[in-house]
Amino acid sequence: AIFRILSHLVGILMLCHLFACAWYAVGILNEQNLHRWPVEYEAEKGMRPAWLLYMLCFQWVLSQLGFGSTFLYPQNTLESIFAVVVTVTSAAVITLWLGEVITSMIWILEGEREFHDNEKKMHRYMAQHEISFDLQNRLWRVLKYLGTEDRHRLTEQAVPLVSCLPSTLQIELRAQVFVPVLTRHPFFGMYSVSYADPRGMYSIIRKRAVSALLLEDGHEVFSTHEP
């Protein structure tokens, strides 16, 4: 959510950059016309440093977004039309961005609240059943690891849209996810290139014989009593 907010902010800054360049381009479009904002505010080329001209234009765009004020104003019809377009566009962009920020913050708060509620229930459960401190430490270590890993690596079960795909595409997707991992093992590496069963790896993927499982270092994969 934070990354999405920052990406939108970068997009807004890029849009401001384009508007700032366009604002100056509109101002010098017709150099024969003396009723232009660069003439009125002594912002022609050579009269001020290039970086100062850019900052003046960028400040003008930010003022259209509602951040601060500016002393630059349109001086002719074309500049007025451009200013109106920028103002309307800026209002729409800011509205959408604020909606995105509010939605993302709600998601973050709801996620944190759900996490704390689950954490409290886990504490109560272990306290009521008098779980040993050693097991509690191991449980919290595993839960912390899985929670951190889940933020960076998604499993197929965490992506609902995968189940909406046609079966052929699901198989192809699973093949590209699992086959490179399976073939690292010598047995499956030889099995994938052997002529004993040319469709062997396809059969493994099609029958869903593999799945992703997040484990902590030292965590057992199989139990001796499992069927």
Side-chain angles (χ1 to χ4, degrees):
I2 297 297
F3 176 78
R4 184 165 51 190
I5 293 174
L6 292 177
S7 65
H8 284 299
L9 181 59
V10 171
I12 290 175
L13 291 177
M14 291 299 298
L15 183 63
C16 290
H17 167 74
L18 294 177
F19 278 154
C21 296
W23 171 241
Y24 189 76
V26 169
I28 62 173
L29 188 62
N30 184 9
E31 296 184 353
Q32 303 301 324
N33 184 6
L34 298 180
H35 298 286
R36 298 178 289 115
W37 75 263
V39 175
E40 181 69 21
Y41 300 102
E42 299 181 354
E44 293 274 42
K45 290 182 179 179
M47 301 181 68
R48 297 173 186 252
W51 66 268
L52 181 57
L53 293 177
Y54 177 77
M55 294 305 296
L56 287 174
C57 295
F58 201 86
Q59 182 187 21
W60 178 84
V61 176
L62 290 178
S63 68
Q64 308 309 303
L65 289 170
F67 301 107
S69 59
T70 181
F71 60 88
L72 303 179
Y73 296 98
Q75 300 298 315
N76 56 52
T77 304
L78 180 61
E79 292 176 359
S80 297
I81 293 174
F82 181 78
V84 170
V85 171
V86 172
T87 301
V88 173
T89 305
S90 300
V93 168
I94 286 296
T95 302
L96 294 174
W97 184 67
L98 288 177
E100 184 70 25
V101 170
I102 293 173
T103 302
S104 299
M105 293 303 298
I106 291 175
W107 285 349
I108 293 173
L109 293 176
E110 287 183 350
E112 291 181 350
R113 182 173 59 187
E114 183 180 359
F115 173 78
H116 289 304
D117 289 342
N118 293 333
E119 194 176 46
K120 289 178 181 178
K121 291 178 181 178
M122 190 67 177
H123 276 294
R124 288 177 55 194
Y125 177 80
M126 291 190 293
Q128 290 176 0
H129 294 277
E130 299 180 352
I131 306 300
S132 65
F133 287 108
D134 177 64
L135 180 56
Q136 286 188 38
N137 289 333
R138 283 188 289 152
L139 289 172
W140 286 120
R141 187 168 64 250
V142 171
L143 291 173
K144 182 179 179 181
Y145 172 79
L146 293 178
T148 305
E149 193 69 17
D150 184 58
R151 295 177 185 176
H152 301 284
R153 190 173 185 84
L154 292 174
T155 60
E156 182 179 325
Q157 292 76 16
V159 186
L161 288 179
V162 173
S163 61
C164 300
L165 296 173
S167 58
T168 53
L169 287 179
Q170 288 189 39
I171 293 171
E172 187 176 350
L173 176 62
R174 289 173 60 82
Q176 293 200 14
V177 171
F178 292 116
V179 169
V181 179
L182 285 174
T183 51
R184 293 177 189 173
H185 191 282
F187 173 79
F188 289 107
M190 294 294 296
Y191 185 67
S192 63
V193 297
S194 68
Y195 294 97
D197 186 0
R199 298 177 61 83
M201 296 300 292
Y202 171 82
S203 299
I204 292 175
I205 299 300
R206 182 176 61 84
K207 295 177 181 178
R208 296 183 177 270
V210 292
S211 61
L213 181 63
L214 301 177
L215 297 172
E216 184 193 18
D217 293 340
H219 193 174
E220 67 276 6
V221 181
F222 303 105
S223 173
T224 54
H225 299 290
E226 283 186 352

